Amino acid sequence: MTAPAEGAGGTPGDSGPTDADWAAAVAAVRGLSADARVLMICHVNPDGDALGSMLGFGLGLRRLGVRQLQATFPGPPELPESFGWLPGLDLLVPERAAYPDPDLVICFDAASESRLGDLVDRLAVAGTTLVLDHHASNTRFGRIDLVDPHAAATSVLAEGLLARLGVPLDAEIAACLYVALSTDTGSFRFDATTPAVHELAARLLATGIRPGDISRRIFDTRPFGAVRLFGEVLGRARLDPAAAGGRGLVWTVATLDDLARYDQPPHVLESLIDSIRVTAEAEVSCVVKQVAAEEWSVSLRSKGAVDVSRAAVVLGGGGHRFAAGFTGRGSADEVMDRVRAALDGALLPA
Ligand code: 5GP
Ligand code: MN
């Protein structure tokens, strides 16, 4: 998620996995037979944390000798070019090629089963299921859940499990986990950037990976057509000063026609919210991205006074307190009316 992922937001006592949870997860991996099939799944429309934690952990499983190992995610198998260099991409298979009856399913960065699309059916048939996640809204849908709402990224949990399995970090694993960690901390800018996050980053960097190269590939590279598309879509952004209880909302809409005119795939719009949320006059920012005629993928960000995950949950989605999303139906104007109404119910106590 290219967003102010703040780990906090769980209920009190939501302090992450217990020793028993970690032990169960270690036992599930250590107990795999030589011919076990392991299927890793991350959330639909994967971001750097989903993909990076899954591939980094997968490379670790490979080092442990797991031979029948697949990584997948629901929906079209194409990835943004910015991820095209990630180590471990050879683990990826399209969802239709995923093991129908895996022995172990491991889910990454998915708050609920709904984020797994049609792959959700693998949970019921798997010998066991392991969930690694950091969303406060996580529904604990695994048989073993390693869920820590205070973790800055799912990769924190992935690294914690690799360490407990005795897998040393190497440059390939570290590159994946670094992509995940830097994505979900907004390049170490958000409040989730604790001393422990920097300590993990230090361990990753000590493998020799190059943070400048990685950041440029992940965050600072975009086709010229996308630059011009952003110019147009940003040019029609609107500011609603009265929205979000008078704290202000900035928003814009990008249609499939916009994408077609600039010959761009939908995923180039994922980072658009980062250019919108800088608006000084608005507490909340919103990008409405067309998916189909009457279907919109909506991204919400807050600077701290509004719990956008509460608004997103009301509208059928989820996420973190300060970064959330949902799928909206109808016209873009109808979707925005619902967003404004939901935001008024999502103000946090001052
Ligand atoms: P983004 O705006 O970057 O797509 O997503 C921001 C955050 O909101 C992500 O961490 C993701 O977990 C969550 N999110 C986005 N869309 C949805 C959705 O449709 N359903 C749920 N449950 N969460 C979403
Ligand atoms: Mn994440």
Side-chain angles (χ1 to χ4, degrees):
M1 173 187 58
T2 319
E6 50 76 68
T11 49
D14 222 346
S15 51
T18 62
D19 289 346
D21 295 329
W22 286 115
V26 168
V29 174
R30 289 230 173 272
L32 290 169
S33 64
D35 60 350
R37 282 147 311 176
V38 177
L39 178 63
M40 302 182 293
I41 311 175
C42 71
H43 66 69
V44 63
N45 194 13
D47 60 9
D49 189 28
L51 211 54
S53 57
M54 176 169 73
L55 296 180
F57 191 78
L59 288 169
L61 286 181
R62 192 180 259 170
R63 310 273 187 268
L64 281 175
V66 176
R67 284 192 218 306
Q68 302 201 71
L69 178 62
Q70 293 181 333
T72 193
F73 53 86
E78 293 78 32
L79 284 177
E81 307 85 79
S82 56
F83 294 135
W85 60 275
L86 277 176
L89 284 181
D90 58 301
L91 292 167
L92 273 182
V93 299
E95 66 169 318
R96 66 183 141 70
Y99 300 132
D101 52 354
D103 298 285
L104 173 64
V105 165
I106 314 178
C107 299
F108 295 86
D109 206 37
S112 64
E113 289 161 281
S114 66
R115 302 283 284 159
L116 304 178
D118 291 341
L119 287 160
V120 70
D121 64 4
R122 303 305 198 284
L123 295 176
V125 294
T128 195
T129 55
L130 171 58
V131 167
L132 276 68
D133 188 36
H134 69 129
H135 290 88
S137 60
N138 186 286
T139 58
R140 293 356 190 228
F141 61 93
R143 226 156 300 163
I144 305 163
D145 296 302
L146 297 179
V147 177
D148 185 356
H150 298 281
T154 294
S155 56
V156 172
L157 293 142
E159 194 265 351
L161 185 52
L162 287 176
R164 284 166 176 85
L165 287 164
V167 179
L169 293 173
D170 60 31
E172 291 196 327
I173 295 173
C176 292
L177 298 182
Y178 189 86
V179 165
L181 192 62
S182 56
T183 296
D184 266 21
T185 57
S187 299
F188 308 98
R189 283 174 297 165
F190 304 148
D191 281 338
T193 312
T194 58
V197 164
H198 278 298
E199 282 158 14
L200 173 54
R203 290 199 295 284
L204 299 174
L205 291 175
T207 65
I209 58 171
R210 296 175 59 90
D213 288 349
I214 292 176
S215 299
R216 195 173 311 105
R217 288 174 183 161
I218 294 292
F219 304 116
D220 297 333
T221 303
R222 188 173 299 165
F224 184 55
V227 172
R228 298 188 62 234
L229 168 65
F230 273 38
E232 183 172 328
V233 178
L234 287 171
R236 56 177 188 248
R238 289 288 169 266
L239 184 64
D240 296 345
R247 292 171 189 273
L249 166 70
V250 60
W251 60 278
T252 193
V253 177
T255 64
L256 290 174
D257 186 55
D258 294 326
L259 289 171
R261 263 182 292 109
Y262 290 97
D263 195 21
Q264 294 300 311
H267 66 72
V268 303
L269 296 172
E270 295 307 313
S271 57
L272 183 62
I273 190 79
D274 291 319
S275 303
I276 291 274
R277 67 181 174 81
V278 298
T279 304
E281 295 85 349
E283 166 65 32
V284 179
S285 46
C286 176
V287 173
V288 181
K289 294 161 278 189
Q290 189 171 32
V291 178
E294 298 245 294
E295 186 179 332
W296 309 82
S297 169
V298 183
S299 290
L300 292 166
R301 300 291 184 269
S302 159
K303 293 178 185 169
V306 174
D307 181 348
V308 286
S309 85
R310 199 187 303 173
V313 166
V314 166
L315 297 168
H320 305 273
R321 258 211 295 187
F322 303 147
F326 68 97
T327 298
R329 288 175 215 285
S331 71
D333 283 342
E334 286 164 349
V335 170
M336 280 312 301
D337 284 344
R338 272 178 247 141
V339 166
R340 277 181 284 261
L343 288 176
D344 285 334
L347 296 185
L348 287 164

